[in-house]
Amino acid sequence: MITFRFAECSLPESKAQSLAFFIAADQPLSSTLDRLAQDHFPLLESYLKQVDFAGQAGKIVPLSMSVNGQPKTIFCIGIGKPTAQGRITIEQFRRSTASLIRGMQSRKIGSCSVELPSSQLFGVSDFDLGKQLVISACMGSYKFDDYFSDAKRKVFKELTIECCTGSDADKAELQKGVAQGSIIAQAVNKVRHWVDTPPNKLTPTILAGFAKEVAQTYGMKYTEFGEQELIKMGMGGLQAVSAGSEQDCKLAIIEYKTEKKGAPTVAYVGKGITFDSGGLSLKPALNMEAMKDDMAGAAAVIGTMQVIAQLKPDINIIGIMPTSENLPSGTATKPGDIIQFYNGKTAEVKNTDAEGRLILADAMSYAVKHYKPDFMIDIATLTGACAYALGPYFAGLMSQHDELAKKIEHASLISGDRVWRLPMDNDFKAAVQSDVADLCNSGKSQYRAGAITAAFFLQAFAGEVPWAHLDIAGTAFSVPDITYYDTGATGYGVRLLVELAMHWDTIK
Ligand code: BES
Ligand code: MN
Ligand code: ZN
């Protein structure tokens, strides 16, 4: 937990163990740092030159000095060169903030007094600066260390950040931003914890249980169906994927209702495969290693619902999570099997490793039939092809609905969960046709683009509802070089889906 405090402090007088300054490239030091240096480290400027620090983005220099008889660490944190318009991106602020947190953790420094840069430098409001400060600091402090028995390997997480602001900053707005950011950050880190949790500790039943817990804790309606019910209801996709596993599959549904009359309803559907071995179309060992992350879409939707219940946007949101485990066995679905989904459509299962679309097909059909949403967005670690096409920094966005796609692109820019739109051209539609059923679950090889052909499979289950698909196979896990991430889960999607819900009508 990180505690944030706003202090009427002059940094040198602060009781905190460390002080931090954000420094833009080739800019003069702030007057506070300048004064501090004059009194306690007269050679600061030449020292920074010596270690080649000129405020470069991502660079952080810790200094030790004695300030008013107290030992202190001073963190000089580079935030890079402003543009010609004098702006630095808010993403740079997020990354620099997370570097500070990691710097504190590795030195076991529990408190820091931070001179907050002006929000104008980033072209954002004071509210957004406070919000992004907390989100990036909390995300930066995350470490999946539950299973270390050696206490020394656990990461130091109890931190206090004291924020000192310039006189032009609106403290009330900053504080509101901090409060909202903290709600978002807690959910993001909770989602990361679920995604990092190994598949022997997180089954489809346990994952649905987390959805139930969130719904009950935050006062939302919860509905759950178990495997036998789902089979009776005609959910052949969930049935087929779960056939090889001893674990029960589930369909978990959380409903958030706004008090505002006439508000639109949006369905968020998240893929919840707690482990993906590929089934009988078994994955090679290397590709299977990280397949505990195949429930990252469902986790992101549950985390989003937790935030939404607290921030109360003016739209209705339904979170739908199909959960299952994809394993081979004597009872597993076989390549060649033909199955029928909840909306009556049939598919030939040519490749049991294309399982995500099978469980999403039932969940989407259910959402369309029972909630008649005005919009639907699914989020899924769906294809290796998407991860190859876009790499780890951009999720694939696929939609034939331009207005919805633009909303998502806009929310993505603000939130930091980035998307890149791939063409959902009807020429690709034939890739998922089958000679023996309505659809085939693996795209024909001539059409190549596996991320897009997967989207066309899903399209058959969106009905007439304006729908968008987010493929997070590349962004959910193991993303290099971003300081607010760690080695494992990223929590991708929570920041994006929350932003979208909060500003549904204002972002276009
Ligand atoms: N869960 C995987 C996709 C994935 C790959 C997620 C890498 C995260 C990282 C998905 O179920 C899958 O196996 N997809 C197949 C589809 C193919 C058989 C049509 C794939 O991408 O190979
Ligand atoms: Mn698979
Ligand atoms: Zn999968």
Side-chain angles (χ1 to χ4, degrees):
M1 265 294 281
I2 307 187
T3 310
F4 290 86
R5 272 211 303 266
F6 283 84
E8 292 294 336
C9 60
S10 111
L11 257 62
E13 273 75 59
S14 159
K15 298 257 181 323
Q17 285 167 277
S18 63
L19 309 177
F21 297 90
F22 290 93
I23 299 169
D26 308 319
Q27 300 289 307
L29 302 180
S30 80
S31 58
T32 319
L33 182 55
D34 205 36
R35 238 183 311 119
L36 189 75
Q38 273 169 30
D39 295 347
H40 308 283
F41 197 149
L43 295 178
L44 176 67
E45 287 213 56
S46 37
Y47 178 76
L48 289 178
K49 269 214 184 74
Q50 201 175 81
V51 295
D52 191 32
F53 179 87
Q56 300 96 321
K59 193 149 180 156
I60 173 161
V61 173
L63 310 161
S64 309
M65 59 175 90
S66 139
V67 177
N68 302 331
Q70 298 285 324
K72 285 226 198 281
T73 302
I74 314 292
F75 291 103
C76 295
I77 310 158
I79 49 173
K81 211 173 167 57
T83 59
Q85 292 74 40
R87 293 275 166 78
I88 288 174
T89 63
I90 194 70
E91 176 65 14
Q92 185 55 55
F93 176 66
R94 287 192 280 256
R95 294 186 192 184
S96 294
T97 303
S99 302
L100 167 64
I101 298 296
R102 299 260 184 241
M104 290 173 68
Q105 286 178 319
S106 63
R107 293 172 181 80
K108 301 225 177 319
I109 294 174
S111 56
C112 186
S113 204
V114 180
E115 182 182 56
L116 273 191
S118 157
S119 54
Q120 283 152 30
L121 180 57
F122 308 102
V124 303
S125 62
D126 284 323
F127 176 88
D128 280 328
L129 189 78
K131 177 169 155 183
Q132 297 305 331
L133 169 76
V134 178
I135 293 179
S136 50
C138 295
M139 285 180 72
S141 74
Y142 174 84
K143 173 90 190 159
F144 185 66
D145 56 10
D146 288 26
Y147 292 89
F148 293 146
S149 55
D150 178 357
K152 287 203 283 294
R153 292 189 68 191
K154 300 236 184 208
V155 163
F156 193 64
K157 288 181 186 141
E158 292 305 312
L159 308 173
T160 303
I161 303 289
E162 199 173 71
C163 308
C164 307
T165 56
S167 51
D168 59 337
D170 184 336
K171 282 216 189 66
E173 279 299 301
L174 268 168
Q175 238 150 346
K176 269 196 240 163
V178 164
Q180 178 167 128
S182 139
I183 289 170
I184 296 170
Q186 277 171 36
V188 173
N189 283 351
K190 191 183 215 179
V191 167
R192 293 166 84 184
H193 186 264
W194 289 335
V195 176
D196 279 327
T197 297
N200 60 331
K201 304 285 179 190
L202 196 149
T203 62
T205 301
I206 293 173
L207 181 56
F210 292 146
K212 182 175 186 182
E213 196 178 300
V214 164
Q216 288 181 341
T217 307
Y218 295 94
M220 294 177 286
K221 185 174 170 197
Y222 180 71
T223 313
E224 183 179 303
F225 301 104
E227 185 152 341
Q228 286 318 310
E229 276 169 291
L230 293 168
I231 292 172
K232 275 197 215 112
M233 288 158 74
M235 300 219 183
L238 267 158
Q239 177 181 16
V241 175
S242 315
S245 166
E246 313 250 319
Q247 298 292 336
D248 234 27
C249 61
K250 296 275 191 277
L251 186 69
I253 304 164
I254 306 175
E255 293 173 54
Y256 163 80
K257 281 210 163 63
T258 172
E259 280 166 14
K260 193 180 161 195
K261 295 272 174 307
T265 297
V266 181
Y268 288 160
V269 185
K271 170 177 174 183
I273 295 289
T274 58
F275 184 71
D276 182 13
S277 71
L280 286 174
S281 313
L282 197 65
K283 283 183 185 295
L286 217 55
N287 294 2
M288 217 189 283
E289 276 179 11
M291 279 305 129
K292 66 174 181 181
D293 80 348
D294 216 15
M295 35 59 79
V301 173
I302 301 171
T304 299
M305 297 308 288
Q306 169 171 318
V307 176
I308 279 168
Q310 296 171 83
L311 301 185
K312 305 193 190 318
D314 285 338
I315 57 169
N316 301 306
I317 305 192
I318 318 290
I320 305 189
M321 288 69 59
T323 71
S324 172
E325 185 180 59
N326 189 21
L327 293 181
S329 85
T331 56
T333 293
K334 299 165 284 294
D337 282 358
I338 296 177
I339 62 174
Q340 185 169 35
F341 299 98
Y342 188 65
N343 73 350
K345 294 209 166 131
T346 60
E348 176 189 13
V349 180
K350 270 203 177 151
N351 189 322
T352 63
D353 197 11
E355 84 299 338
R357 62 198 78 183
L358 304 183
I359 66 168
L360 288 169
D362 279 333
M364 286 168 57
S365 304
Y366 187 88
V368 169
K369 177 162 180 202
H370 294 272
Y371 295 99
K372 301 186 174 51
D374 298 289
F375 298 92
M376 178 159 62
I377 299 169
D378 80 87
I379 177 164
T381 44
L382 205 65
T383 68
C386 190
Y388 273 100
L390 296 178
Y393 302 120
F394 291 83
L397 163 62
M398 284 149 268
S399 181
Q400 289 190 335
H401 196 277
D402 286 344
E403 190 195 321
L404 179 58
K406 292 213 169 84
K407 266 192 206 300
I408 295 171
E409 281 177 324
H410 193 230
S412 128
L413 285 177
I414 307 171
S415 68
D417 279 342
R418 290 177 289 179
V419 301
W420 199 263
R421 197 167 171 190
L422 298 175
M424 246 197 109
D425 192 283
N426 284 331
D427 281 350
F428 288 104
K429 210 170 185 157
V432 289
Q433 281 165 4
S434 161
D435 298 336
V436 292
D438 298 337
L439 294 153
C440 173
N441 82 326
S442 87
K444 292 195 190 98
S445 62
Q446 310 92 288
Y447 295 83
R448 311 284 289 259
I452 299 170
T453 57
F456 272 101
F457 184 93
L458 294 178
Q459 189 191 49
F461 303 91
E464 298 301 310
V465 177
W467 157 78
H469 163 56
L470 290 168
D471 192 330
I472 59 167
T475 57
F477 200 83
S478 192
V479 173
D481 302 334
I482 294 187
T483 48
Y484 53 76
Y485 292 154
D486 195 39
T487 50
T490 60
Y492 184 98
V494 177
R495 291 183 297 163
L496 174 65
L497 295 178
V498 166
E499 191 64 45
L500 197 58
M502 292 305 290
H503 300 116
W504 189 265
D505 284 327
T506 45
I507 57 182
K508 297 249 182 313

